Amino acid sequence: MELPEKRIPDQYFLENLSEEQMDGLMAQGIHLVDSALQYQELMMMYNCAIREVRTKLEVLNADLSVRYQRNPIEFISCRLKKPMSLFQKLQKKNLPFSLSAVEKNINDVAGIRVICSFIDDIYAVAAMLTEQDDITLLETKDYIKNPKPNGYRSLHLIVELPVFFSDQKKNMRVEVQIRTIAMDFWASLEHQLKYKKSVKNEELIVRELTECAEDIASIDQRMLAIRNTIDENAESPNTEESLREKLERFNIPSL
């Protein structure tokens, strides 16, 4: 005896829709796919903007390395904000979750973190980047001179630059955070602790973290002072030492 064919619920549901209902369902599906593709395209554009800014920073670092035998930038990291972060940020602004709202109202969709050795390197790198003629500085938040209440320190820049795509040129915004190794160490640990479960004596922990931030800031200043003292007291090389130094610097960069 042949058993009747088992019907898949979704198939049964679709077969019993009217033509008008089917058209509406298809329209919703197309809208969802179009929205997903548009979101993917927008994120691709932000990712390309990150690449443009990162390349500029790497070029500056390479230039300074050859000219002055010193790299002010230790390393660079990049990120794109996740959909949930974008949604939460728009909610706080009482704005709808749409791609146009993201583009117009969120400046830090694309982010670059630049880690420098010394505090003065932070301001030097920021100046060299923002002085380039295709970079527009939209906003500066200096949390080094004016730390946040919890002790957070970093220099934040919102920059805009043109990015060329296959069919258009589009001005894209990128947030650039520049900080020292010590500042980044504190910020990373503070971020991890902040997202732990609720704990007892939270006020004590916040106070301890703030004091640690002050200690780290003091170390940054002391390290800068030590470097400046070394530079000021370094003896000028004689002719032979100068030639040896230049020969050691002579190195064809690899591609």
Side-chain angles (χ1 to χ4, degrees), residues 76-126:
I76 301 169
S77 61
C78 309
R79 65 106 184 98
L80 285 174
K81 267 196 179 301
K82 294 180 180 179
M84 181 54 71
S85 295
L86 297 174
F87 176 73
Q88 291 171 341
K89 204 150 192 179
L90 288 172
Q91 265 195 326
K92 287 180 181 178
K93 295 174 180 283
N94 294 318
L95 294 168
F97 185 67
S98 67
L99 297 184
S100 61
V102 169
E103 279 195 88
K104 292 176 183 177
N105 300 284
I106 301 183
N107 289 329
D108 61 344
V109 178
I112 295 181
R113 186 171 298 157
V114 184
I115 310 303
C116 296
S117 302
F118 300 98
I119 293 174
D120 61 348
D121 289 334
I122 293 174
Y123 295 103
V125 168

Short mmCIF file of all heavy atoms in Angstrom, two decimals, residues 76-126:
data_model
loop_
_atom_site.label_atom_id
_atom_site.label_comp_id
_atom_site.label_asym_id
_atom_site.label_seq_id
_atom_site.Cartn_x
_atom_site.Cartn_y
_atom_site.Cartn_z
N ILE A 76 48.24 49.55 14.28
CA ILE A 76 46.94 50.11 13.89
C ILE A 76 45.91 48.98 13.89
O ILE A 76 46.19 47.88 13.38
CB ILE A 76 46.99 50.74 12.48
CG1 ILE A 76 48.04 51.87 12.44
CG2 ILE A 76 45.63 51.26 12.06
CD1 ILE A 76 48.33 52.36 11.02
N SER A 77 44.74 49.24 14.43
CA SER A 77 43.64 48.26 14.34
C SER A 77 42.39 48.96 13.81
O SER A 77 42.24 50.17 13.96
CB SER A 77 43.37 47.62 15.71
OG SER A 77 42.98 48.60 16.65
N CYS A 78 41.51 48.19 13.20
CA CYS A 78 40.32 48.76 12.56
C CYS A 78 39.08 47.95 12.94
O CYS A 78 39.17 46.77 13.29
CB CYS A 78 40.47 48.74 11.04
SG CYS A 78 42.01 49.47 10.43
N ARG A 79 37.92 48.60 12.84
CA ARG A 79 36.67 47.88 13.09
C ARG A 79 35.49 48.61 12.45
O ARG A 79 35.53 49.82 12.21
CB ARG A 79 36.43 47.72 14.59
CG ARG A 79 36.22 49.03 15.35
CD ARG A 79 34.79 49.24 15.75
NE ARG A 79 34.57 50.55 16.39
CZ ARG A 79 34.12 51.61 15.76
NH1 ARG A 79 33.86 51.55 14.47
NH2 ARG A 79 33.92 52.76 16.39
N LEU A 80 34.45 47.84 12.14
CA LEU A 80 33.16 48.38 11.72
C LEU A 80 32.15 48.10 12.83
O LEU A 80 32.14 47.01 13.40
CB LEU A 80 32.69 47.70 10.43
CG LEU A 80 33.36 48.11 9.12
CD1 LEU A 80 32.86 47.22 7.99
CD2 LEU A 80 33.07 49.57 8.79
N LYS A 81 31.31 49.08 13.12
CA LYS A 81 30.29 48.87 14.16
C LYS A 81 29.32 47.77 13.71
O LYS A 81 28.93 47.70 12.55
CB LYS A 81 29.51 50.16 14.41
CG LYS A 81 30.09 50.99 15.55
CD LYS A 81 29.10 52.02 16.03
CE LYS A 81 29.67 52.84 17.18
NZ LYS A 81 30.06 52.04 18.33
N LYS A 82 28.94 46.92 14.66
CA LYS A 82 28.00 45.84 14.36
C LYS A 82 26.58 46.37 14.31
O LYS A 82 26.27 47.43 14.89
CB LYS A 82 28.14 44.75 15.42
CG LYS A 82 29.48 44.05 15.39
CD LYS A 82 29.58 42.97 16.45
CE LYS A 82 30.94 42.29 16.39
NZ LYS A 82 31.08 41.24 17.44
N PRO A 83 25.66 45.65 13.61
CA PRO A 83 24.28 46.13 13.47
C PRO A 83 23.61 46.46 14.80
O PRO A 83 22.91 47.46 14.91
CB PRO A 83 23.58 44.96 12.77
CG PRO A 83 24.67 44.29 11.99
CD PRO A 83 25.91 44.43 12.82
N MET A 84 23.83 45.63 15.84
CA MET A 84 23.19 45.88 17.13
C MET A 84 23.69 47.19 17.75
O MET A 84 22.91 47.96 18.32
CB MET A 84 23.44 44.72 18.09
CG MET A 84 22.78 44.88 19.45
SD MET A 84 20.99 45.20 19.36
CE MET A 84 20.40 43.60 18.82
N SER A 85 24.99 47.48 17.60
CA SER A 85 25.54 48.73 18.12
C SER A 85 24.94 49.93 17.40
O SER A 85 24.63 50.96 18.01
CB SER A 85 27.06 48.75 17.97
OG SER A 85 27.66 47.76 18.76
N LEU A 86 24.77 49.79 16.08
CA LEU A 86 24.16 50.87 15.29
C LEU A 86 22.71 51.09 15.73
O LEU A 86 22.26 52.23 15.88
CB LEU A 86 24.21 50.53 13.80
CG LEU A 86 25.61 50.40 13.17
CD1 LEU A 86 25.49 49.93 11.73
CD2 LEU A 86 26.36 51.73 13.24
N PHE A 87 21.99 49.98 15.91
CA PHE A 87 20.59 50.06 16.32
C PHE A 87 20.46 50.76 17.68
O PHE A 87 19.62 51.64 17.86
CB PHE A 87 20.01 48.65 16.39
CG PHE A 87 18.59 48.60 16.89
CD1 PHE A 87 17.53 49.03 16.10
CD2 PHE A 87 18.30 48.11 18.17
CE1 PHE A 87 16.22 49.00 16.57
CE2 PHE A 87 17.00 48.07 18.64
CZ PHE A 87 15.96 48.51 17.84
N GLN A 88 21.32 50.38 18.64
CA GLN A 88 21.27 50.97 19.98
C GLN A 88 21.61 52.45 19.94
O GLN A 88 21.00 53.26 20.66
CB GLN A 88 22.21 50.22 20.92
CG GLN A 88 21.75 48.81 21.24
CD GLN A 88 22.78 48.00 22.00
OE1 GLN A 88 23.96 48.33 22.01
NE2 GLN A 88 22.36 46.92 22.62
N LYS A 89 22.56 52.82 19.09
CA LYS A 89 22.96 54.22 19.01
C LYS A 89 21.83 55.08 18.41
O LYS A 89 21.58 56.20 18.86
CB LYS A 89 24.22 54.35 18.18
CG LYS A 89 25.03 55.59 18.48
CD LYS A 89 26.50 55.39 18.25
CE LYS A 89 27.30 56.53 18.83
NZ LYS A 89 28.75 56.36 18.65
N LEU A 90 21.15 54.53 17.40
CA LEU A 90 20.02 55.26 16.80
C LEU A 90 18.86 55.36 17.79
O LEU A 90 18.16 56.37 17.83
CB LEU A 90 19.57 54.56 15.52
CG LEU A 90 20.52 54.70 14.32
CD1 LEU A 90 20.06 53.80 13.18
CD2 LEU A 90 20.60 56.15 13.84
N GLN A 91 18.66 54.30 18.59
CA GLN A 91 17.60 54.33 19.60
C GLN A 91 17.82 55.46 20.60
O GLN A 91 16.88 56.16 20.98
CB GLN A 91 17.56 52.98 20.35
CG GLN A 91 16.55 52.00 19.80
CD GLN A 91 16.29 50.86 20.76
OE1 GLN A 91 17.18 50.42 21.48
NE2 GLN A 91 15.06 50.36 20.77
N LYS A 92 19.08 55.63 21.03
CA LYS A 92 19.39 56.69 21.99
C LYS A 92 19.10 58.07 21.41
O LYS A 92 18.78 59.01 22.14
CB LYS A 92 20.86 56.61 22.39
CG LYS A 92 21.19 55.44 23.30
CD LYS A 92 22.66 55.41 23.67
CE LYS A 92 22.99 54.23 24.56
NZ LYS A 92 24.44 54.17 24.88
N LYS A 93 19.22 58.19 20.08
CA LYS A 93 18.95 59.46 19.42
C LYS A 93 17.49 59.59 18.98
O LYS A 93 17.12 60.55 18.33
CB LYS A 93 19.86 59.60 18.18
CG LYS A 93 21.35 59.68 18.49
CD LYS A 93 22.16 59.67 17.20
CE LYS A 93 23.66 59.74 17.45
NZ LYS A 93 24.09 61.11 17.80
N ASN A 94 16.66 58.56 19.34
CA ASN A 94 15.24 58.53 18.94
C ASN A 94 15.08 58.61 17.43
O ASN A 94 14.21 59.33 16.91
CB ASN A 94 14.46 59.66 19.62
CG ASN A 94 14.39 59.50 21.12
OD1 ASN A 94 14.16 58.40 21.62
ND2 ASN A 94 14.60 60.59 21.85
N LEU A 95 15.92 57.85 16.73
CA LEU A 95 15.88 57.83 15.28
C LEU A 95 15.52 56.44 14.78
O LEU A 95 15.81 55.43 15.45
CB LEU A 95 17.25 58.23 14.70
CG LEU A 95 17.68 59.68 14.96
CD1 LEU A 95 19.15 59.87 14.60
CD2 LEU A 95 16.81 60.65 14.16
N PRO A 96 14.89 56.34 13.60
CA PRO A 96 14.54 55.02 13.06
C PRO A 96 15.79 54.27 12.59
O PRO A 96 16.80 54.90 12.25
CB PRO A 96 13.63 55.36 11.87
CG PRO A 96 14.09 56.72 11.44
CD PRO A 96 14.48 57.43 12.71
N PHE A 97 15.70 52.96 12.59
CA PHE A 97 16.84 52.16 12.12
C PHE A 97 16.76 52.07 10.60
O PHE A 97 16.02 51.26 10.04
CB PHE A 97 16.82 50.77 12.74
CG PHE A 97 18.04 49.95 12.37
CD1 PHE A 97 19.29 50.32 12.83
CD2 PHE A 97 17.93 48.84 11.56
CE1 PHE A 97 20.42 49.59 12.50
CE2 PHE A 97 19.05 48.09 11.22
CZ PHE A 97 20.30 48.46 11.69
N SER A 98 17.49 52.95 9.94
CA SER A 98 17.54 52.95 8.48
C SER A 98 18.95 53.30 8.03
O SER A 98 19.73 53.88 8.79
CB SER A 98 16.55 53.98 7.90
OG SER A 98 16.95 55.29 8.23
N LEU A 99 19.28 52.95 6.81
CA LEU A 99 20.63 53.21 6.31
C LEU A 99 20.89 54.70 6.20
O LEU A 99 22.00 55.17 6.48
CB LEU A 99 20.82 52.53 4.95
CG LEU A 99 20.73 50.99 4.95
CD1 LEU A 99 21.03 50.44 3.57
CD2 LEU A 99 21.68 50.38 5.97
N SER A 100 19.88 55.47 5.80
CA SER A 100 20.08 56.92 5.69
C SER A 100 20.32 57.53 7.07
O SER A 100 21.13 58.45 7.22
CB SER A 100 18.86 57.57 5.02
OG SER A 100 17.69 57.34 5.79
N ALA A 101 19.63 57.01 8.10
CA ALA A 101 19.84 57.50 9.46
C ALA A 101 21.25 57.17 9.95
O ALA A 101 21.88 57.97 10.63
CB ALA A 101 18.80 56.90 10.40
N VAL A 102 21.74 55.99 9.58
CA VAL A 102 23.11 55.59 9.94
C VAL A 102 24.11 56.55 9.31
O VAL A 102 25.01 57.08 9.99
CB VAL A 102 23.40 54.14 9.49
CG1 VAL A 102 24.89 53.82 9.61
CG2 VAL A 102 22.60 53.15 10.32
N GLU A 103 23.96 56.79 8.01
CA GLU A 103 24.92 57.66 7.30
C GLU A 103 24.92 59.09 7.83
O GLU A 103 25.97 59.71 7.98
CB GLU A 103 24.58 57.67 5.80
CG GLU A 103 25.10 56.47 5.04
CD GLU A 103 25.06 56.70 3.54
OE1 GLU A 103 26.05 57.25 3.00
OE2 GLU A 103 24.03 56.36 2.92
N LYS A 104 23.74 59.62 8.13
CA LYS A 104 23.62 61.03 8.52
C LYS A 104 23.97 61.29 9.98
O LYS A 104 24.46 62.37 10.31
CB LYS A 104 22.20 61.53 8.23
CG LYS A 104 21.85 61.63 6.75
CD LYS A 104 20.40 62.04 6.58
CE LYS A 104 20.00 62.08 5.10
NZ LYS A 104 18.56 62.41 4.94
N ASN A 105 23.73 60.30 10.84
CA ASN A 105 23.76 60.58 12.28
C ASN A 105 24.82 59.83 13.08
O ASN A 105 25.03 60.15 14.25
CB ASN A 105 22.39 60.27 12.89
CG ASN A 105 21.29 61.11 12.28
OD1 ASN A 105 21.15 62.28 12.59
ND2 ASN A 105 20.50 60.52 11.40
N ILE A 106 25.49 58.86 12.49
CA ILE A 106 26.50 58.10 13.24
C ILE A 106 27.87 58.31 12.58
O ILE A 106 28.08 57.92 11.43
CB ILE A 106 26.15 56.60 13.30
CG1 ILE A 106 24.80 56.42 13.98
CG2 ILE A 106 27.23 55.84 14.07
CD1 ILE A 106 24.37 54.99 14.16
N ASN A 107 28.76 58.94 13.33
CA ASN A 107 30.08 59.29 12.77
C ASN A 107 31.13 58.19 12.93
O ASN A 107 32.18 58.27 12.31
CB ASN A 107 30.60 60.57 13.42
CG ASN A 107 29.83 61.80 12.98
OD1 ASN A 107 29.35 61.86 11.85
ND2 ASN A 107 29.71 62.77 13.86
N ASP A 108 30.86 57.23 13.82
CA ASP A 108 31.90 56.24 14.12
C ASP A 108 31.55 54.83 13.63
O ASP A 108 31.92 53.85 14.27
CB ASP A 108 32.21 56.23 15.61
CG ASP A 108 31.00 55.85 16.46
OD1 ASP A 108 29.87 55.88 15.93
OD2 ASP A 108 31.20 55.49 17.64
N VAL A 109 30.81 54.74 12.52
CA VAL A 109 30.54 53.42 11.94
C VAL A 109 31.87 52.75 11.62
O VAL A 109 32.10 51.57 11.91
CB VAL A 109 29.67 53.54 10.67
CG1 VAL A 109 29.45 52.16 10.06
CG2 VAL A 109 28.35 54.22 10.97
N ALA A 110 32.75 53.51 10.98
CA ALA A 110 34.10 53.03 10.66
C ALA A 110 35.07 53.59 11.68
O ALA A 110 35.07 54.79 11.94
CB ALA A 110 34.49 53.47 9.25
N GLY A 111 35.88 52.73 12.26
CA GLY A 111 36.81 53.18 13.29
C GLY A 111 38.22 52.65 13.10
O GLY A 111 38.41 51.51 12.67
N ILE A 112 39.19 53.51 13.38
CA ILE A 112 40.60 53.13 13.34
C ILE A 112 41.23 53.52 14.67
O ILE A 112 41.04 54.63 15.15
CB ILE A 112 41.35 53.83 12.19
CG1 ILE A 112 40.80 53.36 10.84
CG2 ILE A 112 42.85 53.57 12.26
CD1 ILE A 112 41.50 53.97 9.65
N ARG A 113 41.98 52.59 15.26
CA ARG A 113 42.70 52.88 16.50
C ARG A 113 44.20 52.89 16.19
O ARG A 113 44.73 51.92 15.64
CB ARG A 113 42.38 51.84 17.56
CG ARG A 113 42.99 52.15 18.93
CD ARG A 113 42.45 51.19 19.97
NE ARG A 113 41.00 51.36 20.09
CZ ARG A 113 40.19 50.40 20.56
NH1 ARG A 113 40.67 49.24 20.93
NH2 ARG A 113 38.88 50.63 20.65
N VAL A 114 44.85 53.99 16.54
CA VAL A 114 46.28 54.17 16.27
C VAL A 114 47.00 54.21 17.62
O VAL A 114 46.69 55.04 18.46
CB VAL A 114 46.54 55.47 15.49
CG1 VAL A 114 48.02 55.60 15.14
CG2 VAL A 114 45.68 55.51 14.22
N ILE A 115 47.96 53.32 17.79
CA ILE A 115 48.70 53.24 19.05
C ILE A 115 50.10 53.81 18.84
O ILE A 115 50.85 53.34 17.97
CB ILE A 115 48.80 51.79 19.56
CG1 ILE A 115 47.42 51.12 19.56
CG2 ILE A 115 49.43 51.76 20.94
CD1 ILE A 115 46.37 51.83 20.37
N CYS A 116 50.43 54.83 19.62
CA CYS A 116 51.72 55.51 19.52
C CYS A 116 52.58 55.23 20.75
O CYS A 116 52.08 54.79 21.79
CB CYS A 116 51.51 57.02 19.37
SG CYS A 116 50.65 57.50 17.86
N SER A 117 53.87 55.53 20.62
CA SER A 117 54.79 55.31 21.74
C SER A 117 54.68 56.40 22.79
O SER A 117 54.68 56.11 23.99
CB SER A 117 56.22 55.24 21.21
OG SER A 117 56.38 54.23 20.25
N PHE A 118 54.60 57.66 22.34
CA PHE A 118 54.65 58.79 23.27
C PHE A 118 53.50 59.75 23.02
O PHE A 118 52.92 59.79 21.93
CB PHE A 118 55.99 59.52 23.13
CG PHE A 118 57.19 58.67 23.42
CD1 PHE A 118 57.89 58.08 22.38
CD2 PHE A 118 57.61 58.44 24.73
CE1 PHE A 118 59.00 57.28 22.64
CE2 PHE A 118 58.71 57.65 24.99
CZ PHE A 118 59.41 57.07 23.95
N ILE A 119 53.19 60.55 24.04
CA ILE A 119 52.06 61.48 23.96
C ILE A 119 52.25 62.48 22.82
O ILE A 119 51.31 62.78 22.08
CB ILE A 119 51.87 62.22 25.29
CG1 ILE A 119 51.43 61.24 26.37
CG2 ILE A 119 50.84 63.33 25.15
CD1 ILE A 119 51.34 61.83 27.76
N ASP A 120 53.46 63.02 22.66
CA ASP A 120 53.65 64.02 21.59
C ASP A 120 53.49 63.40 20.21
O ASP A 120 53.15 64.08 19.24
CB ASP A 120 54.99 64.74 21.74
CG ASP A 120 56.19 63.81 21.65
OD1 ASP A 120 56.01 62.58 21.70
OD2 ASP A 120 57.33 64.32 21.55
N ASP A 121 53.73 62.08 20.09
CA ASP A 121 53.50 61.39 18.81
C ASP A 121 52.02 61.43 18.43
O ASP A 121 51.68 61.52 17.24
CB ASP A 121 53.95 59.92 18.89
CG ASP A 121 55.45 59.76 18.96
OD1 ASP A 121 56.15 60.65 18.47
OD2 ASP A 121 55.91 58.73 19.49
N ILE A 122 51.16 61.37 19.42
CA ILE A 122 49.71 61.40 19.16
C ILE A 122 49.34 62.67 18.41
O ILE A 122 48.67 62.62 17.37
CB ILE A 122 48.93 61.31 20.49
CG1 ILE A 122 49.13 59.95 21.13
CG2 ILE A 122 47.44 61.62 20.27
CD1 ILE A 122 48.51 59.82 22.52
N TYR A 123 49.77 63.81 18.93
CA TYR A 123 49.41 65.09 18.32
C TYR A 123 50.14 65.31 16.99
O TYR A 123 49.58 65.92 16.07
CB TYR A 123 49.70 66.22 19.30
CG TYR A 123 48.82 66.16 20.53
CD1 TYR A 123 49.31 65.68 21.74
CD2 TYR A 123 47.48 66.55 20.47
CE1 TYR A 123 48.50 65.60 22.87
CE2 TYR A 123 46.66 66.47 21.60
CZ TYR A 123 47.17 65.99 22.78
OH TYR A 123 46.35 65.91 23.89
N ALA A 124 51.35 64.77 16.88
CA ALA A 124 52.09 64.90 15.62
C ALA A 124 51.41 64.10 14.51
O ALA A 124 51.22 64.61 13.39
CB ALA A 124 53.53 64.42 15.81
N VAL A 125 51.03 62.87 14.81
CA VAL A 125 50.34 62.03 13.82
C VAL A 125 49.01 62.65 13.44
O VAL A 125 48.63 62.70 12.26
CB VAL A 125 50.16 60.60 14.36
CG1 VAL A 125 49.20 59.79 13.48
CG2 VAL A 125 51.51 59.88 14.46
N ALA A 126 48.25 63.13 14.43
CA ALA A 126 46.95 63.76 14.16
C ALA A 126 47.11 64.96 13.24
O ALA A 126 46.33 65.15 12.29
CB ALA A 126 46.29 64.18 15.47
#
